[in-house]
Amino acid sequence: DGIARPEGPIEEVLGTIDSPDVLEVLMEADRTREVLEALCEFADARTDDADTRYVFRLVSDEFLENIASYAYSTGSGPVYAAVDARRGLKVILMDRGVPFNPLEAKVPDVTVPLEERDIGGCGILISRKFAKSLEYRRIGDWNVTIAVISEDR
């Protein structure tokens, strides 16, 4: 559908990916709902742990939703998503939207009453708390977010 696979960034992040334990999806940012289901189905087939499945869905949903909502001022653009289940479980999301490092995003003050807080930031806060690790890189014109959900399966 006209979206070019980000060859350089993929190899830099994943290395060689010729494996049945790696799923790659290339899409437009306005199709994140159906892609989330495909990613989760793939991940679910590779772990029996309910907590790992839950965290995978939570973190993947948060970052896909952020891409769909904020990455492209035009409303849509290319997104690359991958699940790597070779040594544990991680999700890799790449977009060509405006540079955005979720690790530098302002963390909401959860001690302030809800009605007095600014909107936003809670999903990233939750993702930081539940993922084993989060990493962000800007490779060329791609935002690359890597979330390690579990290690060694």
Side-chain angles (χ1 to χ4, degrees):
D1 61 357
I3 303 173
R5 186 174 182 271
E7 299 292 339
I10 293 170
E11 277 65 35
E12 186 172 325
V13 172
L14 288 170
T16 304
I17 55 173
D18 184 21
S19 168
D21 287 323
V22 176
L23 171 70
E24 295 182 277
V25 179
L26 207 51
M27 69 190 144
E28 288 290 327
D30 58 359
R31 300 187 62 200
T32 57
R33 286 285 119 219
E34 62 194 85
V35 170
L36 175 65
E37 294 310 315
L39 297 177
C40 289
E41 182 179 320
F42 184 84
D44 288 354
R46 280 149 181 83
T47 181
D48 293 328
D49 185 71
D51 290 340
T52 299
R53 289 176 169 186
Y54 177 78
V55 171
F56 182 89
R57 177 174 288 278
L58 181 80
V59 172
S60 298
D61 185 39
E62 170 60 24
F63 286 108
L64 281 168
E65 188 59 37
N66 279 346
I67 290 169
S69 298
Y70 305 112
Y72 298 101
S73 61
T74 60
S76 194
V79 177
Y80 170 86
V83 180
D84 185 349
R86 292 176 290 188
R87 291 174 301 281
L89 193 60
K90 66 180 160 183
V91 62
I92 299 95
L93 298 167
M94 300 183 194
D95 68 80
R96 284 186 136 157
V98 295
F100 174 69
N101 182 345
L103 303 179
E104 294 176 352
K106 183 180 173 192
V107 176
D109 183 353
V110 294
T111 63
V112 173
L114 190 58
E115 57 276 357
E116 296 175 24
R117 274 189 240 161
D118 291 334
I119 294 174
C122 288
I124 292 174
L125 177 68
I126 290 168
S127 296
R128 287 180 186 173
K129 179 167 178 53
F130 287 104
K132 297 279 184 205
S133 68
L134 291 175
E135 179 183 343
Y136 170 83
R137 299 181 202 172
R138 183 77 180 177
I139 302 175
D141 58 354
W142 289 88
N143 289 306
V144 180
T145 303
I146 304 163
V148 175
I149 308 303
S150 67
E151 298 168 315
D152 296 320
R153 43 180 186 130

